[in-house]
Amino acid sequence: MFNIILFGPPGSGKGTQSEKLIATYGLIHLSTGDLLRSEISRKTPLGLEAKSIMDSGQLVPDEVVVGMISSALDANPVAKGFLFDGFPRTVAQSEALDKLLALKKTTIGIVLALEVSEEELVHRLLNRGLTSGRSDDTNEAVIRARIIEYQNKTSVVADYYSKAGKVVSVKGEGTVDQIFASLCSEIDKRMSI
Ligand code: AP5
């Protein structure tokens, strides 16, 4: 089993690259943002609680997302590996993920960190907000709040995995195909070790 964390700020291309990576490597895509939006569209109690938090650009509580990831791991017992997108976003989530993976006798193989300038992030997300229907994309103040939340709570997740030598930074600006090629090159190096 080979497990990947695709890491980076809002709008850095995690979702876009995840689609291509899961098709190439046969991994299960676990996006906490997608799981939360599915709860919102089904109007579950969890979705109703998460919606106002997401609309303000803040992170939802750790126990909520860890619970969702735990269920998703259990639902895929024969997976070749998992691609985590938008998770973990705090050190507490990282520690919880390590424990969940250890129970399954596996670990994170690589953390790919997409590097994109703040102005490019804002530009991409405002542009997506014109058509996406995502309420957190339409307001520049909320987009900037998401980026600040990333800087304050999520960027330290890279330090957590750096201690284990698992983080590789990848330039996240350029064409989607150029960035995909860079990501594949780093994965292939790690997979062959
Ligand atoms: P989430 O859904 O994870 O959103 P995000 O991290 O804000 O990321 P995005 O989906 O906005 O961006 P992305 O990096 O996937 O980029 P994408 O490929 O879409 O989280 C939403 C909210 O849910 C959070 O704010 C939080 O409230 C909550 N949440 C989720 N997970 C959580 C967790 N673990 N803990 C707590 N709370 C959690 O691309 C963006 C745009 O750019 C697209 O339009 C795309 O077409 C375009 N684009 C992509 N690549 C390129 C390129 N190379 N050049 C030009 N444009 C590009």
Tab-separated table of all heavy atoms in Angstrom, residues 1 29 34 39 46 53 56-57 59 62 90 92 105 138 141 145 166-167 169 187 191:
chain	number	residue	atom	x	y	z
A	1	MET	N	0.848	-1.196	0.000
A	1	MET	CA	0.000	0.000	0.000
A	1	MET	C	0.886	1.249	0.000
A	1	MET	O	1.870	1.290	0.730
A	1	MET	CB	-0.880	-0.016	1.254
A	1	MET	CG	-1.972	1.016	1.218
A	1	MET	SD	-2.963	1.026	2.741
A	1	MET	CE	-4.344	0.037	2.286
A	29	HIS	N	-9.326	8.290	-3.536
A	29	HIS	CA	-9.243	9.732	-3.263
A	29	HIS	C	-10.077	10.062	-2.024
A	29	HIS	O	-11.275	9.837	-2.013
A	29	HIS	CB	-9.791	10.485	-4.483
A	29	HIS	CG	-9.721	11.967	-4.374
A	29	HIS	ND1	-10.517	12.790	-5.130
A	29	HIS	CD2	-8.958	12.791	-3.621
A	29	HIS	CE1	-10.237	14.058	-4.843
A	29	HIS	NE2	-9.297	14.086	-3.933
A	34	ASP	N	-14.646	17.502	0.003
A	34	ASP	CA	-15.726	16.849	-0.762
A	34	ASP	C	-16.674	16.101	0.179
A	34	ASP	O	-17.902	16.119	-0.005
A	34	ASP	CB	-15.148	15.856	-1.784
A	34	ASP	CG	-14.484	16.555	-2.960
A	34	ASP	OD1	-14.617	17.791	-3.095
A	34	ASP	OD2	-13.797	15.858	-3.747
A	39	GLU	N	-22.059	16.031	2.856
A	39	GLU	CA	-22.920	16.099	4.060
A	39	GLU	C	-23.844	17.322	3.976
A	39	GLU	O	-25.018	17.250	4.346
A	39	GLU	CB	-22.059	16.209	5.329
A	39	GLU	CG	-21.139	15.023	5.576
A	39	GLU	CD	-21.839	13.839	6.226
A	39	GLU	OE1	-22.952	14.006	6.745
A	39	GLU	OE2	-21.258	12.733	6.185
A	46	LEU	N	-24.427	16.773	10.628
A	46	LEU	CA	-23.010	17.148	10.505
A	46	LEU	C	-22.834	18.252	9.448
A	46	LEU	O	-22.104	19.224	9.644
A	46	LEU	CB	-22.200	15.902	10.123
A	46	LEU	CG	-20.676	15.959	10.190
A	46	LEU	CD1	-20.104	14.561	10.287
A	46	LEU	CD2	-20.069	16.706	9.012
A	53	ILE	N	-19.356	27.103	9.377
A	53	ILE	CA	-17.904	27.184	9.625
A	53	ILE	C	-17.181	27.314	8.284
A	53	ILE	O	-16.291	28.157	8.113
A	53	ILE	CB	-17.403	25.931	10.384
A	53	ILE	CG1	-18.132	25.787	11.713
A	53	ILE	CG2	-15.884	25.997	10.589
A	53	ILE	CD1	-17.838	24.491	12.461
A	56	SER	N	-17.386	30.640	6.585
A	56	SER	CA	-16.585	31.721	7.172
A	56	SER	C	-15.091	31.530	6.885
A	56	SER	O	-14.278	32.376	7.243
A	56	SER	CB	-16.815	31.782	8.684
A	56	SER	OG	-16.231	30.654	9.290
A	57	GLY	N	-14.738	30.384	6.290
A	57	GLY	CA	-13.324	30.139	5.957
A	57	GLY	C	-12.529	29.502	7.077
A	57	GLY	O	-11.321	29.344	6.969
A	59	LEU	N	-11.655	26.279	9.907
A	59	LEU	CA	-11.600	24.817	9.862
A	59	LEU	C	-12.705	24.222	10.732
A	59	LEU	O	-12.994	24.739	11.819
A	59	LEU	CB	-10.246	24.310	10.387
A	59	LEU	CG	-9.010	24.677	9.567
A	59	LEU	CD1	-7.771	24.021	10.180
A	59	LEU	CD2	-9.154	24.261	8.106
A	62	ASP	N	-11.536	19.082	14.551
A	62	ASP	CA	-10.720	17.909	14.214
A	62	ASP	C	-11.505	16.608	14.322
A	62	ASP	O	-11.407	15.736	13.454
A	62	ASP	CB	-9.509	17.823	15.170
A	62	ASP	CG	-8.470	18.900	14.903
A	62	ASP	OD1	-8.397	19.394	13.758
A	62	ASP	OD2	-7.715	19.239	15.835
A	90	THR	N	-4.311	19.948	10.555
A	90	THR	CA	-3.753	20.381	11.845
A	90	THR	C	-2.820	19.269	12.306
A	90	THR	O	-2.895	18.126	11.821
A	90	THR	CB	-4.850	20.562	12.926
A	90	THR	OG1	-5.459	19.290	13.159
A	90	THR	CG2	-5.897	21.586	12.516
A	92	ALA	N	-2.975	17.838	15.170
A	92	ALA	CA	-3.826	16.814	15.817
A	92	ALA	C	-4.394	15.853	14.772
A	92	ALA	O	-4.456	14.639	14.996
A	92	ALA	CB	-4.958	17.489	16.587
A	105	LYS	N	-1.500	-1.196	9.552
A	105	LYS	CA	-0.116	-1.601	9.262
A	105	LYS	C	0.436	-0.906	8.021
A	105	LYS	O	1.082	-1.521	7.159
A	105	LYS	CB	-0.008	-3.120	9.126
A	105	LYS	CG	-0.533	-3.853	10.354
A	105	LYS	CD	0.089	-5.198	10.522
A	105	LYS	CE	-0.328	-5.934	11.783
A	105	LYS	NZ	-0.951	-5.176	12.849
A	138	THR	N	-16.800	32.899	-3.443
A	138	THR	CA	-17.339	34.100	-4.090
A	138	THR	C	-16.909	35.399	-3.416
A	138	THR	O	-17.016	36.465	-4.016
A	138	THR	CB	-18.888	34.052	-4.128
A	138	THR	OG1	-19.336	33.631	-2.855
A	138	THR	CG2	-19.377	33.108	-5.190
A	141	ALA	N	-12.861	38.247	0.895
A	141	ALA	CA	-12.507	38.257	2.327
A	141	ALA	C	-12.505	36.824	2.879
A	141	ALA	O	-11.637	36.460	3.693
A	141	ALA	CB	-13.492	39.128	3.101
A	145	ALA	N	-9.444	34.688	4.355
A	145	ALA	CA	-9.563	34.050	5.679
A	145	ALA	C	-9.125	32.586	5.596
A	145	ALA	O	-8.474	32.065	6.521
A	145	ALA	CB	-10.999	34.151	6.187
A	166	LYS	N	9.481	13.221	4.885
A	166	LYS	CA	8.473	12.791	3.899
A	166	LYS	C	7.987	13.902	2.976
A	166	LYS	O	7.211	13.643	2.064
A	166	LYS	CB	7.270	12.199	4.637
A	166	LYS	CG	7.626	10.906	5.337
A	166	LYS	CD	6.445	10.216	5.945
A	166	LYS	CE	6.897	8.879	6.518
A	166	LYS	NZ	5.847	8.164	7.204
A	167	VAL	N	8.423	15.157	3.213
A	167	VAL	CA	7.852	16.269	2.454
A	167	VAL	C	8.708	16.617	1.238
A	167	VAL	O	9.921	16.773	1.346
A	167	VAL	CB	7.707	17.524	3.344
A	167	VAL	CG1	7.118	18.683	2.550
A	167	VAL	CG2	6.837	17.219	4.554
A	169	SER	N	8.566	19.528	-1.826
A	169	SER	CA	7.892	20.712	-2.370
A	169	SER	C	7.888	20.647	-3.887
A	169	SER	O	8.896	20.286	-4.501
A	169	SER	CB	8.614	21.985	-1.925
A	169	SER	OG	8.461	22.129	-0.547
A	187	ILE	N	6.662	10.865	-6.990
A	187	ILE	CA	6.020	9.627	-6.498
A	187	ILE	C	6.797	8.409	-6.988
A	187	ILE	O	7.075	7.475	-6.226
A	187	ILE	CB	4.548	9.560	-6.974
A	187	ILE	CG1	3.732	10.668	-6.317
A	187	ILE	CG2	3.942	8.190	-6.681
A	187	ILE	CD1	2.348	10.876	-6.929
A	191	MET	N	8.238	5.424	-4.771
A	191	MET	CA	7.629	4.093	-4.891
A	191	MET	C	8.681	3.039	-5.196
A	191	MET	O	8.517	1.881	-4.854
A	191	MET	CB	6.591	4.085	-6.008
A	191	MET	CG	5.230	4.525	-5.551
A	191	MET	SD	4.060	4.359	-6.908
A	191	MET	CE	2.530	4.193	-6.004
